[in-house]
Amino acid sequence: MPPSAGLGPLGRRLFAAFAVVALASVALLTTAALVGTDRGLSSAHQAERQRTADRVAAAAADAYRAAGGWASADLSAARSVATAAGAVLTVRDADDEMISDDAGSGSEDEHGMPGSGRGHHGQGAGSGPGVSAPVVVDGHTVGFVGLVFSAGSGSAGRSVAWGWVAAAAVGALALALAVSWFVTRRLTAPVVRVAATARALAAGDRGARARIDAPGELGDLAHAFDAMADDVSHTEQARHRLAADVAHELRTPLASLQAGLEELRDGYTEPTPDRLASLHDQALRLGRVIDDLGELAEAESARMSLHLAEVDLTVLAGAAVAERKAELRTAGLTVHTVPGPAPLPVRADADRLHQALGNLLSNTARHCRPGDTVTVTTSATPAEAVIEVADTGPGIPADELPHIFDRLWRGTRARSKGGSGIGLAVVKELVTAHGGTVTAESGPSGGTRMTLRLPRATPQGPPLVSGPGTKPRIASRANTPRGI
């Protein structure tokens, strides 16, 4: 299998980079090893040659001492040591005159003795490296011995060392390439898998997931991608449900309105006030659904259109209750307010927040029974400002509670009361846009508590007050009751 198989462009580039680094490193280390080995072997050989020269000089000194001079000295023992070391022996006296030259390539000097001419320490003929040593007898230097080694001396050890270095370099390069291949695959496989999954998602396969268990940031990338794919799938499902629910909400009043108008057009019925009022009600219902959808779209984009300022949440809650008090009393409800600390500053868009509170109160008015009580409480924690809208109504079934803030979702009671299922979705969008949360609780014996939490702000001046005399920009549109 070629090195680049299955890696993709990024993997091939990464593997090539690893390979270049490995090759450069191995080449540098191999060169350093060869140079170091060569110098080490040369130094060792030179030291060994010098020790041989010292032994030859000692043998020559013994011969000089035994003969009482160079004239009749027997140098056979010195020659034997030199020959055993593979060297050619040259002996000179203290005046640098040739005594013996085993190379036999010298010329006669002025004394008629064979030699190779005068040279420092009596280096004789030869083509290889040479060493010399003084011949010392009774503390006096009486001559010099020179050893000339052949040019190939010591090459065997160098060849062995270089062979091992070359083998180690090849093995190191192979190992480096294998590790580079493995690391490249480990690094790029998750990226390749995520890219393939992204292409599958783009092609319409909404069930495609990377499902990669990789270490570190690559694993985080894969998990984040899968989470994003899940969100995309859920969003698309919600969009399909939204389209179906909107079509359903519009179909019924539109069909009734169309049928009534056709009857009037064809003369099957008279345009009596009751008949016209019925058609007018269907048109109003269509208008309410369309208005609710527009309000939801506006709430979803609220994060980009918020006009934030410092707002006193206690005053704003009181203003929202005052505006909805007539609606709540018309529904037969008793309203209580429990104001918290004043001022209770939050950083918010007063109009949007007023709209969210208004929707909560309208939802309570729609679903509570005559005689029930509604209590609006503002309070504070060190980090949050809290508004609670609690009622003594029939409550929300436990299986419906997790869905009440979903778009166009309507519970059993909401369907019977004709709610659009948008009001609480608008509340959630607006509160989330402010960085807050909204939750709902309902006990088995009835009663519902809606809790809205917003981050507190440090007071920096007079807060914005949204009271009865200040008409919020959007709250006026929220006067129409919203259902779950």
Side-chain angles (χ1 to χ4, degrees):
M1 183 171 60
S4 60
L7 292 181
L10 174 62
R12 288 193 291 270
R13 291 187 179 93
L14 192 60
F15 178 74
F18 283 151
V20 169
V21 172
L23 183 61
S25 301
V26 170
L28 178 62
L29 292 176
T30 301
T31 302
L34 290 175
V35 171
T37 301
D38 184 68
R39 291 186 177 181
L41 289 175
S42 297
S43 177
H45 290 157
Q46 187 66 19
E48 180 62 26
R49 294 186 186 111
Q50 189 62 52
R51 286 193 294 269
T52 301
D54 292 340
R55 291 197 301 272
V56 171
D62 291 339
Y64 181 93
R65 187 180 296 109
W70 289 117
S72 59
D74 183 7
L75 298 176
S76 59
R79 289 191 182 92
S80 298
V81 175
T83 303
V88 176
L89 174 64
T90 300
V91 181
R92 292 176 179 272
D93 62 14
D95 296 327
D96 203 20
E97 298 295 334
M98 183 69 68
I99 303 300
S100 174
D101 185 2
D102 290 347
S105 59
S107 61
E108 291 187 355
D109 59 17
E110 64 271 23
H111 293 87
M113 298 185 68
S116 58
R118 296 177 181 269
H120 183 65
H121 290 177
Q123 290 283 22
S127 60
V131 293
S132 64
V135 179
V136 180
V137 177
D138 298 331
H140 300 285
T141 300
V142 297
F144 299 92
V145 296
L147 297 180
V148 178
F149 294 85
S150 62
S153 176
S155 60
R158 183 178 288 104
S159 299
V160 172
W162 283 11
W164 277 100
V165 170
V170 172
L173 182 59
L175 179 61
L177 292 177
V179 172
S180 299
W181 167 257
F182 175 76
V183 172
T184 301
R185 287 297 301 268
R186 288 284 293 172
L187 290 177
T188 58
V191 179
V192 172
R193 181 68 177 273
V194 169
T197 306
R199 288 192 291 270
L201 281 172
D205 183 5
R206 295 296 179 256
R209 297 294 183 271
R211 295 186 177 89
I212 296 173
D213 186 15
E217 289 79 0
L218 291 175
D220 295 340
L221 172 65
H223 295 323
F225 182 86
D226 285 347
M228 182 197 68
D230 290 338
D231 291 341
V232 169
S233 179
H234 295 158
T235 300
E236 185 167 354
Q237 293 175 5
R239 182 172 59 84
H240 290 162
R241 288 196 301 268
L242 176 63
D245 291 341
V246 169
H248 174 75
E249 288 292 328
L250 295 178
R251 186 181 297 113
T252 301
L254 185 60
S256 178
L257 185 60
Q258 182 179 355
L261 291 174
E262 288 177 352
E263 288 180 349
L264 292 175
R265 183 196 64 185
D266 297 336
Y268 291 115
T269 183
E270 295 295 327
T272 62
D274 292 340
R275 185 58 177 164
L276 293 177
S278 174
L279 295 177
H280 183 258
D281 289 342
Q282 296 299 332
L284 289 178
R285 183 179 177 186
L286 278 174
R288 282 196 300 271
V289 172
I290 294 172
D291 191 43
D292 288 346
L293 291 173
E295 187 174 299
L296 178 59
E298 190 175 5
E300 289 177 338
S301 62
R303 189 183 301 274
M304 300 179 60
S305 60
L306 290 179
H307 300 280
L308 299 177
E310 188 177 303
V311 178
D312 188 342
L313 193 60
T314 300
V315 175
L316 189 143
V321 171
E323 183 175 312
R324 302 288 174 156
K325 186 170 290 187
E327 180 184 343
L328 294 170
R329 286 179 176 172
T330 301
L333 305 179
T334 303
V335 183
H336 297 293
T337 58
V338 182
L344 183 53
V346 294
R347 189 78 175 166
D349 185 325
D351 294 348
R352 302 283 190 180
L353 206 52
H354 196 286
Q355 177 185 358
L357 292 174
N359 280 13
L360 284 180
L361 294 171
S362 292
N363 184 76
T364 301
R366 177 183 292 274
H367 297 290
C368 284
R369 303 159 299 195
D372 287 335
T373 301
V374 179
T375 304
V376 179
T377 305
T378 55
S379 59
T381 68
E384 293 178 325
V386 182
I387 298 179
E388 292 182 352
V389 179
D391 63 61
T392 59
I396 302 173
D399 59 331
E400 297 180 359
L401 201 58
H403 305 288
I404 63 172
F405 293 106
D406 294 346
R407 300 182 188 93
L408 295 174
W409 190 88
R410 297 183 300 169
T412 305
R413 297 189 183 92
R415 294 192 189 97
S416 64
K417 294 180 180 294
S420 65
I422 293 178
L424 292 184
V426 170
V427 172
K428 181 180 179 180
E429 293 292 340
L430 292 176
V431 173
T432 302
H434 283 83
T437 59
V438 58
T439 58
E441 301 174 7
S442 187
S445 58
T448 302
R449 182 187 304 274
M450 301 282 187
T451 304
L452 189 155
R453 301 177 183 273
L454 294 170
R456 294 188 64 176
T458 302
Q460 299 176 350
L464 275 177
V465 178
S466 180
T470 304
K471 198 66 172 178
R473 183 172 63 253
I474 297 174
S476 58
R477 293 177 49 196
N479 291 335
T480 303
R482 303 285 184 256
I484 302 177

